[in-house]
Amino acid sequence: MHQPPIPHVASADPEIAELIEGEARRQFEKIRLIPSENYVSVAVLEAAGTVLTNKYSEGYADRRYYEGQQFIDPIEKLAVARAQAVFGVDHANVQPYSGSPANLAVYLAFLQPGETVMGMALPMGGHLTHGWPVSATGKWFRSVQYGVRADTGRVDLDEVRELALRERPKVIFCGGTAIPRTIDFPAFAEIAAEAGAVLVADIAHIAGLIAGGTHPSPVGHAAVITTTTHKTLRGPRGAMIMSTAEHAKAVDKAVFPGLQGGPHNHTTAGIAVALHEAAQPEFRSYAHQVVANAKALAAALLERGYSLVSGGTDNHLILIDLSPQGIAGKPAAKALDRAGLEVNYNTVPFDPRKPFDPSGIRIGTPSITTRGLTQEHMPRIAAWMDEAIIAAVKDDEPSIDRVAGEIRELLTGFPMAGWA
Ligand code: DSN
């Protein structure tokens, strides 16, 4: 049953209640390997599901356009103070609705339409909002994109420097969505300084690892830091923009009134709770276990002959090129899902296939680590993945069903916040 129980939804709208229950059970019964997902605590769930959703609060604490902020202001101030403490930043804005609006606010703060932005190309591991052509950020701004080296699968910092000095972007984004290696913030900072650009570190994927001390921090290197709050950071779906004191005003003005209306106060409370959790010693252990699990899973996959972009991982994420297995990412992801292993299909650098039918899959360990799985379970997960992929190639549905059954059985021993 979903936790906390949802009897009022069940009586007012049984159709939706049934779907929520179904999703909770699905999350309980699957090995969830999508690297941008997690399981939030019941405390975060509760905070995000409160009467705070009833309240409008346009503006910032002590400077609102609506009355009745006696409780909202302290909640937002706490969220801000906790973000400042956890990440060691001068300034934090906790109002962006999610990662894409947070990044769009950065454009509004630092660029005029048509000016140049530089970011990592989406198929190389970047994000749509780092200037990819189909995104508003690639349509309304002049975008130059860097990638990774074909031989190493790692960011080519020489290419980044050369591009930056030639194209003189006003903003350089580092970070992305499919980067299995440590981001070299000092090197990016040096390049940005040489090019006269503002360096923006998008740490959405690795925020929890930074908070937990298992990835270097961009603070002191990037003047602006954007992040979602629901990935490794294990909060509700939302985002933050952090910055040096110098850029605080520009960031705040861009979020409100530049881009958004009222902040989602229920989400702000959830973010505050998640940041409180991230400040506890147990969160450091969690972050270390996420990376240890990813390294163990990568090693087990390599042993089984899988081709990992960059040859492995430094963080929570593994990008697999399935070409040697003779199956594309999409059919593999669908078969893995039927087998109880939830992943997403993904382009790999220099992918000869199309983004909607690419060569790879992307996996990660934030969720399974929250469930309590450790290094000792990773060889078994790699074996199940391998069995399901081989079964998909052979059209062997009974083997896929068998794996799903074995996974359901294993997971009964690992409780999930949100299900009991
Ligand atoms: N959707 C996020 C991810 O899965 O990485 C990026 O926006």
Side-chain angles (χ1 to χ4, degrees):
M1 189 201 287
H2 186 274
Q3 286 300 318
I6 49 168
H8 302 93
V9 187
S11 79
D13 193 336
E15 211 177 345
I16 286 292
E18 202 178 310
L19 292 168
I20 294 172
E21 290 291 343
E23 172 61 12
R25 175 185 285 281
R26 191 195 69 78
Q27 291 186 13
F28 180 68
E29 291 183 342
K30 282 211 173 134
I31 290 185
R32 297 176 59 230
L33 292 170
I34 294 176
S36 47
E37 295 182 350
N38 213 324
Y39 296 94
V40 298
S41 67
V42 177
V44 169
L45 270 184
E46 282 181 357
T50 56
V51 294
L52 301 179
T53 198
N54 296 339
K55 188 71 195 122
Y56 253 119
S57 310
E58 283 176 16
Y60 292 99
D62 302 326
R63 292 174 288 136
R64 305 281 190 188
Y65 290 79
Y66 293 77
E67 292 312 310
Q69 309 297 339
Q70 291 84 351
F71 300 97
I72 300 299
D73 275 3
I75 287 170
E76 189 170 316
K77 284 181 184 176
L78 267 176
V80 167
R82 288 174 183 177
Q84 288 169 315
V86 165
F87 291 98
V89 288
D90 294 342
H91 179 68
N93 184 311
V94 297
Q95 295 193 2
Y97 299 142
S98 204
S100 297
N103 284 346
L104 202 52
V106 167
Y107 287 78
L108 198 55
F110 298 105
L111 294 146
Q112 293 298 319
E115 288 187 329
T116 305
V117 62
M118 187 164 123
M120 193 180 201
L122 180 68
M124 294 283 178
H127 190 256
L128 276 166
T129 57
H130 297 178
W132 190 241
V134 299
S135 146
T137 63
K139 288 184 193 289
W140 296 344
F141 301 89
R142 180 176 166 270
S143 162
V144 290
Q145 304 265 278
Y146 59 87
V148 294
R149 287 176 64 100
D151 55 345
T152 61
R154 294 173 189 244
V155 173
D156 185 338
L157 286 162
D158 292 334
E159 183 202 357
V160 175
R161 170 173 279 104
E162 202 185 301
L163 256 182
L165 295 182
R166 192 174 68 228
E167 304 291 348
R168 298 281 163 179
K170 281 191 86 175
V171 165
I172 297 176
F173 274 94
C174 59
T177 62
I179 303 174
R181 295 297 179 178
T182 299
I183 299 167
D184 190 343
F185 296 123
F188 272 102
E190 211 176 278
I191 293 168
E194 276 179 57
V198 175
L199 179 63
V200 181
D202 181 340
I203 61 164
H205 265 259
I206 52 173
L209 304 186
I210 293 168
T214 53
H215 188 292
S217 168
V219 176
H221 306 294
V224 180
I225 300 165
T226 62
T227 185
T228 50
T229 45
H230 47 267
K231 297 186 173 90
T232 48
L233 193 56
R234 219 163 52 177
R237 301 193 83 85
M240 308 192 290
I241 306 178
M242 299 177 275
S243 75
T244 56
E246 182 195 352
H247 296 305
K249 223 174 168 173
V251 164
D252 284 354
K253 256 180 80 179
V255 174
F256 176 85
L259 197 63
Q260 298 189 171
H264 294 176
N265 297 316
H266 52 300
T267 301
T268 307
I271 291 173
V273 173
L275 288 166
H276 181 65
E277 292 173 354
Q280 306 311 311
E282 307 85 73
F283 194 85
R284 288 188 85 78
S285 313
Y286 165 69
H288 280 83
Q289 192 63 53
V290 167
V291 176
N293 283 351
K295 285 179 185 292
L297 185 53
L301 287 165
L302 285 170
E303 222 168 88
R304 289 178 173 274
Y306 282 83
S307 168
L308 310 188
V309 172
S310 83
T313 183
D314 296 329
N315 54 33
H316 64 301
L317 182 148
I318 301 166
L319 191 55
I320 309 174
D321 182 351
L322 289 173
S323 314
Q325 277 66 36
I327 185 168
K330 195 174 191 172
K334 291 191 178 302
L336 285 162
D337 192 55
R338 294 197 299 282
L341 296 140
E342 187 187 357
V343 309
N344 69 274
Y345 56 87
N346 217 92
T347 50
V348 294
F350 308 100
D351 204 325
R353 303 177 66 91
K354 294 202 157 50
F356 202 56
D357 185 19
S359 299
I361 54 172
R362 188 184 65 151
I363 62 172
T365 51
S367 301
I368 55 174
T369 307
T370 299
R371 285 293 290 272
L373 300 179
T374 59
Q375 291 99 311
E376 65 170 305
H377 302 105
M378 298 305 126
R380 189 62 245 163
I381 292 179
W384 277 324
M385 287 182 68
D386 195 26
E387 287 165 34
I389 286 168
I390 291 169
V393 172
K394 292 187 185 156
D395 225 356
D396 172 8
E397 217 48 44
S399 292
I400 289 178
D401 289 346
R402 173 185 51 76
V403 171
E406 288 172 9
I407 286 173
R408 273 197 301 274
E409 199 179 316
L410 172 86
L411 290 178
T412 54
F414 294 90
M416 164 190 149
W419 175 260

Coordinates of all heavy atoms in Angstrom, one line a residue, residues 36 127 177 205 231 362, ligand 1:
S36 N 18.7 9.4 -13.0 CA 18.1 10.7 -12.6 C 17.0 10.6 -11.6 O 16.3 11.5 -11.3 CB 17.7 11.5 -13.8 OG 16.9 10.7 -14.7
H127 N 22.8 18.6 -21.9 CA 21.3 18.7 -21.7 C 20.7 19.6 -22.7 O 21.4 20.5 -23.3 CB 21.1 19.3 -20.3 CG 19.6 19.2 -19.9 ND1 18.8 20.3 -19.9 CD2 18.9 18.2 -19.5 CE1 17.6 19.9 -19.5 NE2 17.6 18.6 -19.2
T177 N 23.7 15.3 -18.6 CA 22.8 14.2 -18.2 C 23.3 12.8 -18.4 O 22.7 11.8 -18.0 CB 21.5 14.3 -19.0 OG1 21.8 14.1 -20.4 CG2 20.8 15.6 -18.8
H205 N 22.6 16.1 -11.9 CA 22.8 14.7 -11.7 C 23.7 14.4 -10.4 O 23.4 13.4 -9.8 CB 23.5 14.1 -12.9 CG 22.5 13.5 -13.8 ND1 22.3 12.1 -13.9 CD2 21.7 14.0 -14.7 CE1 21.3 11.9 -14.8 NE2 21.0 13.0 -15.3
K231 N 17.2 14.3 -8.0 CA 18.0 13.2 -8.5 C 18.9 12.6 -7.3 O 18.3 12.1 -6.4 CB 18.9 13.7 -9.7 CG 18.0 14.1 -10.8 CD 18.8 14.5 -12.1 CE 18.0 14.8 -13.3 NZ 17.6 16.2 -13.4
R362 N 21.2 4.0 -20.5 CA 21.9 4.8 -19.4 C 21.3 4.2 -18.1 O 20.1 4.0 -17.9 CB 21.4 6.2 -19.6 CG 22.1 7.2 -18.7 CD 21.6 8.6 -18.9 NE 20.2 8.7 -18.4 CZ 19.6 9.8 -17.9 NH1 20.3 10.9 -17.9 NH2 18.3 9.8 -17.6
Ligands
DSN1 N1 15.5 14.3 -17.5 C1 16.8 14.4 -16.9 C2 17.6 13.1 -16.9 O1 17.0 12.1 -17.0 O2 18.8 13.2 -16.9 C3 17.5 15.5 -17.5 O3 16.7 16.6 -17.7

